[in-house]
Amino acid sequence: IALAFSFSHMTARPHLFSWLCLLITLNILLVGGNYLCWLPLISVVWANLHGSFILCLVLQFIFICGTFLESQPINKINVLSALKRLRKPIAIFVISIIVCGLNPFGYELLVFPFAVSKGIFSEIIAEWQPPNTQGMWYFRYYILALLVFYSLSNNAVTWTERLLALFFVNAALLHIRHISLLVLVLSPFIAKMIHFNIIKTVPQISNVTDNSQLRLSSASGPLITLLIALGLIFTTAINSNLIQFLTPDKIIEVKVDDLDELIAFFDKHRPEGRMFNEYALGGYMIFALEDPPKVFIDGRADMYGEQILLDYQQIRTSEKFRNQLLEYYKIDWIVSEKGSELISSLNTTGLWRTKFENNSYVVLVRTNHLFDKLQPEHSGPTMKL
């Protein structure tokens, strides 16, 4: 189930390291003891791999709060006893925060995940938008099943498990990219609930297993995992439509031939000057061209900053500010998807002509240069939506 929910986000990107670090952190916290001393090392490594390192701190905080809340009834004696037991986890948590600053951005990186998950980023970038629960019916049913499991009387649900569910369900409902994190983190707890509510309550299964978990050796465990993986690969290789939601999403929904034609054009007839490009094309142009032009933006939008992304969106959609921004950035040529609002609008001005066109893309070049007429009040990209 965790694999199925992760496939839509399984692309060659650094967040794959986050999945690894997340599961290592969760395992260390569940084992506890002296293993907790590894958490600061995980924190500093994770902070230099991906912005989601903040989850290492969040998980530690949730486990500390969960342990404290489980000291019931809450009275002076129990609180003092809980705080005494938590001295080591709290000290490690503080050390983890301190060592997170050992990265090229310093402690500014602590606020970075919050900056890129709101505002213009969540409006434009699909993975930062909330999930469509009608289209993603399997995610809706997963949430409903989760509610059922947590409400069953046989469960001995701890406060830590409740807090984990609250945090990651909220994160997944806010941003589609967090669905994989939700399922990865809650899978071991759901497995425990299945064991207590199904395995132990069905006599036929209970008698056979003797109420014990499936025992796997160091050889049989990896072997079974490999066989399951090969089975999934074989199934999707025969007919990917059999399990459509397991198929990784395509980042650029176009024919490969059209994309190849566009790259071939850039190799031989690339226009001079500054380029404005579609968001999804920037990274591919950098990858595919030996001498790529300086792109206006690419998939690393968080590195460009909120203002550039805002101006990008204004150029694409705003009749009022489009021409002013194109003049400000001194754009000489534009590559965009055929039929886009930007291309349709510029074709009517007479200031741009088509240099290249196929079934998917259009390249426009400027027919005049009005950069010297830029008004003083537009000395910077400050137009707001």
Side-chain angles (χ1 to χ4, degrees):
I1 292 173
L3 176 65
F5 278 80
S6 303
F7 247 95
S8 62
H9 212 62
M10 195 172 289
T11 53
R13 295 169 54 185
H15 72 257
L16 294 179
F17 293 112
S18 294
W19 289 354
L20 176 64
C21 293
L22 178 70
L23 294 176
I24 292 174
T25 301
L26 180 62
N27 187 65
I28 289 174
L29 288 166
L30 288 172
V31 173
N34 292 329
Y35 285 96
L36 296 177
C37 297
W38 287 98
L39 291 174
L41 178 60
I42 298 295
S43 300
V44 68
V45 172
W46 195 348
N48 285 274
L49 289 174
H50 195 261
S52 61
F53 76 96
I54 198 76
L55 291 175
C56 184
L57 305 179
V58 169
L59 284 176
Q60 290 185 60
F61 183 72
I62 286 175
F63 271 75
I64 289 172
C65 291
T67 302
F68 178 79
L69 291 173
E70 284 153 21
S71 59
Q72 294 179 345
I74 296 179
N75 53 47
K76 185 176 180 180
I77 296 176
N78 288 339
V79 167
L80 292 175
S81 176
L83 291 175
K84 186 177 180 180
R85 292 198 311 272
L86 288 170
R87 282 184 302 180
K88 184 175 181 179
I90 291 174
I92 291 172
F93 175 59
V94 173
I95 295 172
S96 297
I97 295 175
I98 294 172
V99 299
C100 279
L102 300 176
N103 67 80
F105 298 95
Y107 291 104
E108 291 182 17
L109 199 63
L110 288 169
V111 299
F112 171 78
F114 304 99
V116 298
S117 61
K118 61 180 182 179
I120 192 67
F121 294 99
S122 60
E123 293 177 21
I124 295 179
I125 303 175
E127 64 183 350
W128 284 111
Q129 295 172 0
N132 176 4
T133 52
Q134 280 191 318
M136 299 182 66
W137 54 268
Y138 45 91
F139 175 60
R140 185 173 73 252
Y141 289 141
Y142 179 86
I143 296 295
L144 294 175
L146 198 63
L147 292 174
V148 171
F149 272 123
Y150 269 75
S151 63
L152 293 174
S153 58
N154 288 340
N155 289 330
V157 181
T158 65
W159 269 106
T160 300
E161 293 168 4
R162 293 189 184 105
L163 294 176
L164 284 170
L166 286 173
F167 177 82
F168 282 98
V169 167
N170 178 68
L173 292 174
L174 282 175
H175 307 294
I176 194 172
R177 63 177 288 144
H178 292 147
I179 290 178
S180 59
L181 302 180
L182 162 68
V183 184
L184 286 171
V185 168
L186 294 189
S187 285
F189 303 106
I190 294 176
K192 185 183 74 171
M193 293 176 188
I194 291 174
H195 178 71
F196 278 101
N197 290 282
I198 298 177
I199 303 298
K200 294 185 71 173
T201 56
V202 178
Q204 292 82 356
I205 301 177
S206 180
N207 292 334
V208 171
T209 61
D210 194 29
N211 292 333
S212 62
Q213 298 186 38
L214 178 63
R215 298 185 182 277
L216 298 175
S217 69
S218 57
S220 61
L223 180 60
I224 290 176
T225 303
L226 179 62
L227 290 174
I228 292 172
L230 290 175
L232 286 168
I233 294 171
F234 180 73
T235 302
T236 53
I238 294 176
N239 186 354
S240 60
N241 293 325
L242 291 176
I243 316 178
Q244 190 172 5
F245 68 92
L246 288 181
T247 306
D249 290 343
K250 295 179 181 178
I251 297 175
I252 306 176
E253 295 288 347
V254 296
K255 294 181 179 178
V256 175
D257 292 343
D258 292 340
L259 201 53
D260 288 341
E261 286 180 8
L262 180 66
I263 296 302
F265 166 78
F266 289 142
D267 277 333
K268 297 179 180 179
H269 309 290
R270 188 168 80 201
E272 298 292 330
R274 296 185 177 184
M275 175 186 69
F276 176 85
N277 60 278
E278 283 283 343
Y279 174 84
L281 282 174
Y284 188 79
M285 292 172 70
I286 294 172
F287 162 76
L289 293 167
E290 285 189 17
D291 181 26
K294 289 186 177 181
V295 299
F296 188 88
I297 199 168
D298 61 61
R300 300 164 294 181
D302 43 9
M303 297 292 103
Y304 285 80
E306 186 174 358
Q307 187 61 61
I308 294 293
L309 192 59
L310 177 62
D311 290 338
Y312 164 80
Q313 185 70 349
Q314 295 272 42
I315 291 173
R316 291 181 66 250
T317 62
S318 173
E319 290 282 353
K320 182 178 180 181
F321 295 125
R322 176 181 293 130
N323 290 329
Q324 297 176 45
L325 285 167
L326 288 172
E327 296 295 338
Y328 171 78
Y329 285 107
K330 299 184 178 181
I331 300 299
D332 295 289
W333 56 288
I334 295 170
V335 54
S336 182
E337 295 178 354
K338 187 176 182 179
S340 65
E341 179 185 344
L342 172 62
I343 297 297
S344 301
S345 175
L346 292 180
N347 277 334
T348 63
T349 64
L351 303 177
W352 302 82
R353 63 184 176 88
T354 302
K355 186 75 172 178
F356 169 86
E357 181 177 358
N358 64 14
N359 294 327
S360 301
Y361 297 109
V362 174
V363 176
L364 299 182
V365 295
R366 187 184 284 277
T367 58
N368 68 333
H369 293 277
L370 305 174
F371 301 144
D372 56 333
K373 298 181 180 180
L374 186 64
Q375 298 300 317
E377 60 266 30
H378 299 307
S379 58
T382 56
M383 294 84 168
K384 298 295 182 182
L385 286 174

